[in-house]
Amino acid sequence: MPDPFADLLLRLRQEAGRTQEEQADAINAVSGRDTMTRREISRYENFENVPTNHTIAHIAAACGVPFEELQREAKAARARKRKGHASAEEDQDAVKRRTLLGGAAVGVSAAAEPWGRLAFALSKGSKIDSPSAVALIDRAAELHVQELNLSARRLQRTVESHLDAITAALPRAGEHERALTIAAGETAALAGWVAWDLGEHDKADAYYKVTSQCATTAGHPPLRALALTYSSYGASTPKAKLEFLSRAASDVRGHGNATAAAWVLGRHAEEAAAAGDEMGALRALERARFAYDFADHTNEQAWVRFVTPYRMDSLALSVYGQLGRPELTATADTAVDRLGDELPDGGVVVLGDLASALLRGGDVDQGVYVSRQFAAAAQAKPNTMGKERASTIAASLPDSEQELSRHLRQFAS
């Protein structure tokens, strides 16, 4: 006979619109570990096993229901299991509790796509417990670190599962609403970046729009800057790119935003250089470097973790290389020294810009050496920015490196 608790877990999953595998992914996204499996979800729903309280906390966060209520139902289920049978009779209070729990997840299935579900949930409000809220917020930050060393394809499902987990919790966020809304926006922005990296541009735009909505709802302008700066990569014209970045720069003024400001200004310098605005590019790069002197990329917003000293080198190399500036050689030397023998997290872009700078600056041997490092790194973690740089490097390689040039062109295409 089916157990009421097993039936509750089944309904929570179904109302979230998830398969058993997707439910396992959502729970893993909350826990930060890949320990939950489709088979274990099946065991819970068939009353072959009852989750531990530790797992219950993750299920509650993933489904947006109160931990204490779910824990109480699990305790009753364990008691029934110890007696060797599932009670077919329930008191009316228990029925009401399970109805309430099941209804808490209704927002998750209100739209067909993760950004739609998030947009639906933003206007809702109630309460979840602090441990669940903290777990969701911390996991959002961890995903921005994982982005440095995972391919977009590997990261996409995890990011979207975590966005679903936060979305399910938002209608019951209570005092945690603002913090969860910011975490949701950070996760949605990363989902957009991953989608853009995979060529899913309409999907990326939808994620960026809901990220901006999160920024407005939470009153947190740096979150809008994140969406705008990511959007600048895919903007259709140089003018549009610079407009996005100018708007982003106004959102990262003030204390606690130094790293974000350095990145936005560095991107502005890069796009100004591409548009041929040498004075504007050099001015923006100088401001970016000044901001970075006051930055702490490990302790500001969760999403600035990738703005390492290596990435700042990369932006400077891109600017000087496009403008043909004499500072290119000295900057490349500094980047080589900083890079050392180790490829940093997120180093594909850094290596690409460094290889281009060395080849443009006339250091062909070192340029070819770094180009080979770049080719290996880009193959291991393919992404759109790496493919763009592969094409640039291929065009700059000497005739003696035709095989490497052909490999990079194939990769870029």
Side-chain angles (χ1 to χ4, degrees):
M1 182 177 297
D3 184 78
F5 182 68
D7 181 62
L8 169 61
L9 293 179
L10 172 63
R11 288 193 297 109
L12 285 175
R13 174 176 65 77
Q14 290 175 337
E15 289 178 7
R18 298 174 184 148
T19 65
Q20 289 182 338
E21 185 174 4
E22 288 168 343
Q23 181 76 333
D25 286 340
I27 294 168
N28 286 333
V30 171
S31 71
R33 298 181 297 170
D34 292 328
T35 53
M36 185 61 61
T37 64
R38 184 206 63 75
R39 172 59 183 152
E40 196 60 29
I41 297 296
S42 176
R43 286 169 60 83
Y44 295 154
E45 292 178 358
N46 286 298
F47 204 49
E48 296 173 24
N49 199 3
V50 178
T52 65
N53 285 341
H54 185 68
T55 302
I56 287 291
H58 296 147
I59 294 174
C63 293
V65 296
F67 166 68
E68 292 85 356
E69 295 287 348
L70 200 59
Q71 182 185 40
R72 185 180 300 116
E73 296 299 324
K75 182 178 179 181
R78 292 189 197 100
R80 289 192 295 272
K81 198 166 186 64
R82 281 194 297 270
K83 292 178 181 178
H85 67 278
S87 174
E89 305 219 349
E90 303 177 67
D91 62 78
Q92 289 304 305
D93 286 340
V95 172
K96 289 177 182 177
R97 279 203 309 272
R98 275 182 275 285
T99 301
L100 175 65
L101 281 169
V106 70
V108 184
S109 56
E113 297 290 352
W115 63 82
R117 292 193 286 272
L118 175 55
F120 176 85
L122 284 173
S123 62
K124 306 300 176 182
S126 187
K127 295 180 181 179
I128 65 168
D129 56 283
S130 293
S132 295
V134 170
L136 289 166
I137 293 165
D138 288 348
R139 181 58 173 159
E142 290 170 9
L143 290 172
H144 281 272
V145 177
Q146 287 191 16
E147 192 269 335
L148 295 175
N149 48 47
L150 289 180
S151 68
R153 184 64 65 191
R154 289 181 61 191
L155 190 61
Q156 186 175 49
R157 189 166 69 177
T158 300
V159 173
E160 291 188 340
S161 291
H162 188 61
L163 184 60
D164 266 345
I166 299 180
T167 300
L170 266 174
R172 305 185 61 83
E175 65 183 292
H176 308 289
E177 183 174 3
R178 183 173 186 270
L180 277 177
T181 300
I182 292 171
E186 291 171 343
T187 307
L190 181 56
W193 178 247
V194 169
W196 180 81
D197 209 4
L198 294 171
E200 300 169 351
H201 297 154
D202 289 344
K203 191 174 183 179
D205 288 342
Y207 276 127
Y208 296 150
K209 286 177 183 176
V210 81
T211 299
S212 294
Q213 187 180 349
C214 287
T216 300
T217 301
H220 189 61
L223 189 54
R224 182 169 51 244
L226 172 60
L228 288 167
T229 307
Y230 273 160
S231 296
S232 71
Y233 285 98
S236 57
T237 66
K239 182 180 179 181
K241 292 174 187 285
L242 291 170
E243 285 177 353
F244 279 145
L245 293 165
S246 293
R247 289 162 55 196
S250 67
D251 284 331
V252 289
R253 294 172 181 162
H255 180 71
N257 299 324
T259 308
W263 177 50
V264 172
L265 291 166
R267 279 285 301 131
H268 194 284
E270 191 173 35
E271 293 301 339
D277 180 6
E278 182 169 0
M279 184 177 296
L282 294 176
R283 187 186 305 118
L285 183 60
E286 182 180 2
R287 292 174 62 200
R289 285 176 152 172
F290 179 77
Y292 202 70
D293 286 340
F294 298 91
D296 182 356
H297 74 280
T298 61
N299 288 307
E300 295 176 20
Q301 292 93 348
W303 51 268
V304 300
R305 308 288 176 88
F306 72 91
V307 191
T308 61
Y310 306 110
R311 186 69 180 104
M312 295 303 295
D313 285 344
S314 174
L315 288 166
L317 289 168
S318 177
V319 171
Y320 291 144
Q322 291 183 88
L323 296 176
R325 295 285 301 185
E327 297 95 326
L328 179 64
T329 302
T331 305
D333 289 341
T334 300
V336 169
D337 290 341
R338 197 194 310 274
L339 201 59
D341 295 327
E342 297 295 327
L343 174 65
D345 289 339
V348 174
V349 172
V350 178
L351 286 175
D353 286 332
L354 179 55
S356 294
L358 290 167
L359 292 169
R360 283 171 173 162
D363 191 346
V364 177
D365 289 343
Q366 184 75 352
V368 170
Y369 172 73
V370 176
S371 296
R372 294 188 183 281
Q373 284 188 302
F374 164 79
Q379 197 72 41
K381 187 191 173 185
N383 60 64
T384 302
M385 294 175 70
K387 290 177 180 179
E388 291 175 351
R389 282 156 176 77
S391 181
T392 301
I393 294 169
S396 303
L397 285 167
D399 293 341
S400 59
E401 295 296 331
Q402 290 184 6
E403 184 177 347
L404 176 58
S405 177
R406 183 164 52 253
H407 169 76
L408 290 173
R409 290 181 192 279
Q410 289 176 345
F411 175 76
S413 64

